[in-house]
Amino acid sequence: MKEIEAYHINYKIDVENLTFSGTEIIKGKADGNIWLNAVDMDIPGMKVNGKEVSFKIEKDKELVSVDGEYNGEFTLELEFRGKISDGMNGIYYSKEEGFYFISTQFESTGARYAFPCVDHPAYKAVFKLTLDIPADYDAISNMPAESIRDQKERKVIDFRETPRMSTYLLYIGTAKYDTIHVTHDGKPVYLAGAKGKFKMSELPIQMANETLDFYENYFAIKYQLPKLHLIAVPEFAFGAMENWGAITFREIELMVDESTSSAILKRVDEVISHELAHQWFGDLVTMKWWDDLWLNESFATFMSYKALEHKHPDWEIMSEFVTDETERGMTGDSLRNTHPIHVDVKNPDEISQIFDEISYSKGGSILRMIEAYVGKEHFRNGVRNYLKDNSFSNAVGENLWNSIEKVSNMPVSKIMNSWITMPGYPLVTVTNGKDSLHLSQERFFMDGSPDQSIWPIPLTIVYEDRVEPILMDKAELDIKKDKFLYINLERTGFYRILYDDETFQNIRKNSDKIDKFAKLGLISDSYAFLMSGKGNIDQLIDIMNLFMEEEDYILRDEIVGIILQLHNILIKPEKINDFGKEYLRRHLEKLGDKKEGEPINISVIRGRMQSVLALIDPIFAKDFAHNFADLERINPDSRQAVAYAYAISQNDLDGLIAKFNSLKSDEDKIKIIAATGYLKGNEKLESVWKLIESGKIKKQDSFRFISSASLNFNNRPYIADNMERFITAIDKFFAGTGYTSRFLETMIPYVGLSEEKKVDAFIGKHKRSDWDNGIKKGLEYLNIYKKVNNE
């Protein structure tokens, strides 16, 4: 198939039988054959250029091929019909009060479950959609409606033709909605959700408006569509999806009210900013194939933080980028079972498994490193030229590097080609010499293995009176020693630093001269060295004690995360728990109660500290649980800690479920679900699972119960005994999304610490390519955690 020019789709949705049917006219150009992707649908017949044709369906390849040879322009006409899924891929439904909420999730290969198409990102086309729906339903698609025709008990909506775009960006939705809107540059920006379910707040669409302003200025290209929808979907596998002009979100990501915590409020703004970045980077300009998926996702990740930095300078959001994105990317990329940023993708199973911390977090961090290397203006101008040159088309990563290199006159392509094609990242070792410091590089593995790979590393050497940038593109390098402070200004570089003892003691002596990013680096790298066997827990606690009194948000956040992670990993966690109790109690006393108008980061870190202290300190949990009766009325930032405290100290399933049923906020309900994983007794845990099976707990939230129970040492045997049942359910709920693989990756290391034989037995029974990556990574983490426990 050479290209597809247009799809004209007449689509009928039957909500009584939960089926769809339609007719389709596809115009394109053939270069030998005509084929489409289609899964689980009936196609009664086809015509090519007005003549009936025969065709074959290859289910295992998800292909429909027209018999015969075709070249040049063609018009393909066909009928199709199928079932609306109860999963969360393709076209699917959720049951609401008095109606069905029907939505679509087409990335990466879900469009072929809803209509026959060439489901490939490079085959961009225009879409002319007509929807036939019940008269009392409404519909949303990428473009505004241009006409609505009433037909007795049904209505037919004709939508305006889209610009050229990929199939995975098409959106088809019908339900009964509540909708509010504001305008942006004369274009409506809507917030839509299930009717009667929420008190609608304008805050998310105001956030979107401000972000659109930022992106239009940054990219020097206006938002291209005549409207924008933000749609809250009741059951949704992911956080959000960037369908052009009709972005879908989990309800928790949009439905903000007085019960919304500060952490979720920040996340709502970040997720909206991420998806809006895709309206340029992904939608306007799309990767040619999924091996460049990272270009879409890493750029949206990085740009969302830049938008928040512009909108909320008081949030210090680039600090959070380092603790959240860079640290996550470094953790995943220190495994043997990592992959390069640019991955050779051959089939749909492989596509779903690269939506991970490498494509998002590492990729975003490498973009931040390149921006720091070339300068912010050169980076922005290169991005602007790239978008202008490739609008409404497809591109590859090389196009972007060449664009940035052209405006900066710096070796961007040389650097990026290494960083995106090589898995892993470097460890730079600093050794003190008589007149200089000796640097050497090797690959860092969390299992401690040696590897002599070499990267071109944009180093920043920080001295007391200057900063010296150096491109280290060889194994060893000597730098000036006089007035040296540390390496990696603002932690823009994607590498770790191992200082020898003499150099570290000099840094320690000058700790009042180093900034928060350098302190963060010392803490984070020390934790990584504990995992890899290059350090020990006493050294880590010593470094955290060095910064015991520091009040910077990112230092508190990093230390709190390490306390919780080691509490979950260590079979004998007394040493880290003792440090954690002292640290958390001291800082919570400093923070005091929530104050009106306090910085949002203070509210966030207080809530997180309370939650971790509830998990590691039974005395605190017993005392804090008394707030449970008034959960809806207390500070939203403290509610997770209260729910944990109540579950741990009271072990009251009935009380938790009664509270769950009385809550209206999705966020608060999720906090109760997470807390149920800390109940004691298999009967209580089984009762929670039955609520998931019955649908009283949303399918999308099922993993929260299993995850928290897996983290709880006492409940790991229950999870191990029921892995077959739980994973089967997760695989059904999230079919086609790659979610099961990621879930196995997070569950295996913790459950395996207690029940390794049962985990191995489960894995031995299941040889599936779409689970393979998650299982391998999970087992690698398990082996690392076992080694840490044995030291």
Side-chain angles (χ1 to χ4, degrees):
M1 187 82 75
K2 188 174 183 180
E3 67 176 276
I4 299 295
E5 296 173 354
Y7 295 89
H8 292 255
I9 306 170
N10 290 288
Y11 207 86
K12 183 176 182 178
I13 292 177
D14 182 344
V15 297
E16 292 182 358
N17 296 302
L18 293 172
T19 60
F20 62 85
S21 59
T23 61
E24 194 172 4
I25 299 173
I26 303 173
K27 294 182 180 292
K29 293 179 182 177
D31 55 1
N33 54 29
I34 297 173
W35 56 268
L36 302 171
N37 298 112
V39 180
D40 294 338
M41 66 181 78
D42 180 33
I43 302 174
M46 287 186 180
K47 292 181 181 178
V48 175
N49 299 329
K51 296 181 180 179
E52 296 278 355
V53 294
S54 59
F55 56 93
K56 62 181 177 182
I57 297 175
E58 299 175 82
K59 288 188 177 182
D60 58 328
K61 296 181 180 179
E62 302 181 349
L63 279 177
V64 180
S65 304
V66 179
D67 294 334
E69 183 174 335
Y70 293 88
N71 289 285
E73 295 184 354
F74 69 85
T75 299
L76 174 63
E77 301 171 71
L78 59 91
E79 299 177 28
F80 60 90
R81 52 180 173 258
K83 293 182 179 180
I84 299 172
S85 171
D86 62 352
M88 288 180 277
N89 185 49
I91 182 166
Y92 68 95
Y93 72 89
S94 58
K95 184 74 173 72
E96 296 300 299
E97 191 67 39
F99 64 95
Y100 288 100
F101 193 108
I102 294 170
S103 186
T104 55
Q105 170 59 35
F106 288 164
E107 190 178 32
S108 51
T109 57
R112 65 189 67 182
Y113 290 81
F115 64 101
C117 58
V118 179
D119 202 8
H120 187 300
Y123 286 80
K124 284 192 168 186
V126 298
F127 293 81
K128 186 70 174 67
L129 177 67
T130 297
L131 274 183
D132 182 338
I133 59 174
D136 56 344
Y137 275 59
D138 293 312
I140 298 172
S141 190
N142 308 79
M143 298 292 284
E146 61 182 8
S147 70
I148 302 176
R149 292 166 279 149
D150 293 325
Q151 296 187 351
K152 295 184 179 179
E153 295 182 353
R154 299 188 67 80
K155 62 184 174 188
V156 177
I157 304 174
D158 296 304
F159 290 95
R160 288 168 57 180
E161 187 175 84
T162 71
R164 283 176 56 80
M165 66 182 198
S166 302
T167 49
Y168 80 89
L169 296 170
L170 183 66
Y171 182 71
I172 302 169
T174 183
K176 297 179 182 180
Y177 303 104
D178 281 329
T179 305
I180 58 175
H181 79 278
V182 297
T183 58
H184 173 78
D185 198 20
K187 299 176 180 180
V189 179
Y190 298 96
L191 173 65
K195 193 171 188 63
K197 196 169 186 179
F198 297 101
K199 176 184 176 183
M200 305 287 278
S201 166
E202 284 192 359
L203 185 58
I205 43 180
Q206 289 169 353
M207 291 173 174
N209 246 356
E210 293 171 4
T211 302
L212 286 169
D213 284 337
F214 172 75
Y215 287 150
E216 288 182 338
N217 177 65
Y218 188 91
F219 298 134
I221 297 174
K222 291 285 189 180
Y223 172 70
Q224 293 294 299
L225 297 197
K227 63 88 179 173
L228 173 67
H229 267 91
L230 310 183
I231 309 159
V233 180
E235 288 276 16
F236 196 51
F238 304 104
M241 172 61 205
E242 66 265 22
N243 315 298
W244 206 356
I247 307 172
T248 45
F249 300 79
R250 283 194 176 186
E251 289 176 331
I252 191 175
E253 309 290 3
L254 286 183
M255 296 306 180
V256 299
D257 57 23
E258 62 277 0
S259 291
T260 302
S261 68
S262 302
I264 292 296
L265 197 64
K266 288 176 72 174
R267 170 155 173 84
V268 168
D269 210 345
E270 184 269 321
V271 173
I272 289 171
S273 297
H274 181 105
E275 302 308 323
L276 288 177
H278 277 309
Q279 305 300 292
W280 285 264
F281 234 95
D283 297 2
L284 179 64
V285 180
T286 310
M287 74 261 156
K288 283 187 177 179
W289 179 236
W290 295 103
D291 52 3
D292 271 320
L293 165 74
W294 74 274
L295 195 58
N296 284 7
E297 296 303 344
S298 62
F299 203 87
T301 298
F302 182 46
M303 285 306 304
S304 65
Y305 282 85
K306 289 185 74 68
L308 295 182
E309 182 182 40
H310 173 80
K311 290 162 59 177
H312 307 287
D314 57 309
W315 286 11
E316 300 180 58
I317 200 67
M318 278 303 171
S319 301
E320 203 161 323
F321 180 92
V322 175
T323 56
D324 286 1
E325 304 299 343
T326 302
E327 294 298 324
R328 183 182 300 124
M330 282 187 156
T331 299
D333 206 32
S334 62
L335 297 179
R336 291 197 161 277
N337 288 291
T338 185
H339 60 80
I341 292 176
H342 184 280
V343 183
D344 186 21
V345 176
K346 295 183 178 66
N347 63 61
D349 287 346
E350 293 174 341
I351 298 170
S352 64
Q353 293 196 56
I354 61 172
F355 283 84
D356 62 6
E357 70 278 7
I358 305 303
S359 297
Y360 286 73
S361 300
K362 180 184 179 180
S365 299
I366 300 306
L367 291 175
R368 180 171 178 257
M369 182 171 72
I370 286 296
E371 183 195 54
Y373 177 64
V374 303
K376 291 184 178 181
E377 284 304 307
H378 286 323
F379 183 83
R380 182 175 71 171
N381 290 334
V383 168
R384 285 178 170 181
N385 292 343
Y386 166 84
L387 290 172
K388 181 180 177 182
D389 292 344
N390 297 284
S391 290
F392 302 105
S393 187
N394 297 87
V396 295
E398 186 179 347
N399 301 134
L400 178 58
W401 316 143
N402 289 341
S403 183
I404 298 172
E405 183 169 296
K406 187 175 180 180
V407 298
S408 67
N409 198 30
M410 298 176 77
V412 175
S413 294
K414 171 188 172 183
I415 295 170
M416 288 304 300
N417 286 338
S418 294
W419 281 92
I420 69 171
T421 58
M422 293 172 62
Y425 59 90
L427 168 68
V428 177
T429 299
V430 182
T431 307
N432 189 58
K434 183 179 179 182
D435 300 312
S436 63
L437 295 175
H438 183 72
L439 311 185
S440 61
Q441 66 160 300
E442 62 181 302
R443 182 175 175 182
F444 178 77
F445 278 118
M446 198 187 298
D447 68 5
S449 301
D451 185 303
Q452 302 307 313
S453 299
I454 297 175
W455 284 259
I457 313 172
L459 296 177
T460 45
I461 316 299
V462 182
Y463 295 91
E464 292 182 27
D465 55 354
R466 67 196 186 282
V467 176
E468 291 190 2
I470 299 174
L471 185 63
M472 183 181 181
D473 56 1
K474 52 190 177 182
E476 299 183 38
L477 177 72
D478 289 331
I479 62 172
K480 297 173 185 176
K481 178 179 176 180
D482 186 46
K483 295 185 179 181
F484 172 82
L485 285 178
Y486 63 93
I487 297 176
N488 203 358
L489 180 66
E490 295 187 353
R491 208 158 169 78
T492 56
F494 198 78
Y495 50 87
R496 296 197 183 278
I497 305 288
L498 178 60
Y499 299 101
D500 70 358
D501 186 63
E502 189 173 349
T503 309
F504 174 73
Q505 292 305 324
N506 184 63
I507 294 172
R508 185 175 191 136
K509 184 176 68 176
N510 290 288
S511 61
D512 59 325
K513 297 178 182 178
I514 66 176
D515 67 11
K516 61 186 178 183
F517 290 100
K519 294 171 184 175
L520 171 70
L522 292 173
I523 298 167
S524 171
D525 290 347
S526 182
Y527 173 78
F529 299 150
L530 165 64
M531 292 292 110
S532 67
K534 296 180 184 295
N536 59 58
I537 193 168
D538 293 323
Q539 292 169 335
L540 172 61
I541 290 175
D542 178 57
I543 288 177
M544 292 193 293
N545 270 317
L546 179 63
F547 304 120
M548 172 67 81
E549 302 303 327
E550 296 280 350
E551 296 180 8
D552 276 307
Y553 172 74
I554 60 167
L555 299 182
R556 284 172 160 170
D557 190 48
E558 182 72 11
I559 291 171
V560 170
I562 288 172
I563 292 166
L564 180 59
Q565 181 68 347
L566 289 178
H567 171 79
N568 291 330
I569 289 172
L570 297 176
I571 305 299
K572 296 179 179 179
E574 291 80 12
K575 189 175 288 189
I576 193 64
N577 284 356
D578 288 345
F579 169 80
K581 291 171 191 177
E582 179 187 358
Y583 180 84
L584 293 168
R585 286 184 177 275
R586 186 179 298 193
H587 280 266
L588 284 170
E589 185 177 351
K590 281 186 180 182
L591 292 168
D593 294 331
K594 186 177 177 69
K595 302 167 188 67
E596 188 173 349
E598 72 181 12
I600 194 169
N601 287 344
I602 294 294
S603 302
V604 171
I605 199 63
R606 181 192 294 108
R608 191 169 185 211
M609 286 180 165
Q610 289 169 336
S611 292
V612 174
L613 191 55
L615 293 173
I616 71 171
D617 186 351
I619 296 173
F620 177 81
K622 185 175 181 181
D623 178 61
F624 212 55
H626 77 272
N627 295 294
F628 187 74
D630 296 318
L631 188 73
E632 305 95 310
R633 290 177 287 280
I634 65 171
N635 172 16
D637 300 302
S638 298
R639 292 178 190 175
Q640 183 66 80
V642 171
Y644 282 148
Y646 188 78
I648 290 167
S649 64
Q650 303 302 310
N651 200 36
D652 179 12
L653 170 65
D654 292 340
L656 286 167
I657 297 307
K659 182 65 71 177
F660 176 88
N661 290 330
S662 71
L663 294 169
K664 296 181 180 178
S665 160
D666 244 25
E667 181 186 350
D668 286 340
K669 285 178 177 285
I670 286 168
K671 289 171 181 171
I672 299 296
I673 297 167
T676 60
Y678 290 90
L679 291 166
K680 293 182 284 288
N682 288 1
E683 289 184 4
K684 288 182 169 67
L685 299 172
E686 189 62 23
S687 295
V688 177
W689 182 251
K690 287 179 180 176
L691 292 173
I692 293 169
E693 290 182 320
S694 70
K696 292 180 181 178
I697 291 176
K698 290 181 179 182
K699 295 190 289 286
Q700 69 179 27
D701 297 327
S702 55
F703 76 96
R704 296 182 185 274
F705 162 67
I706 304 173
S707 295
S708 63
S710 300
L711 293 173
N712 180 0
F713 182 82
N714 295 318
N715 287 338
R716 290 170 185 171
Y718 169 77
I719 297 297
D721 288 340
N722 291 279
M723 277 189 75
E724 187 75 39
R725 189 159 52 117
F726 293 160
I727 298 301
T728 299
I730 291 289
D731 203 46
K732 179 183 177 184
F733 295 161
F734 295 91
T737 66
Y739 197 91
T740 309
S741 177
R742 292 188 287 278
F743 184 76
L744 285 164
E745 176 189 338
T746 59
M747 185 176 73
I748 286 170
Y750 300 103
V751 178
L753 283 171
S754 301
E755 302 289 336
E756 187 171 7
K757 289 184 178 179
K758 292 177 182 177
V759 169
D760 287 343
F762 172 83
I763 292 169
K765 289 170 58 180
H766 298 279
K767 304 295 183 184
R768 285 180 46 174
S769 61
D770 57 334
W771 293 5
D772 188 52
N773 193 46
I775 288 172
K776 286 180 178 177
K777 290 171 73 175
L779 288 174
E780 187 172 353
Y781 278 122
L782 172 57
N783 288 329
I784 291 164
Y785 296 169
K786 283 164 57 183
K787 189 172 73 172
V788 171
N789 273 289
N790 290 332
E791 291 179 350

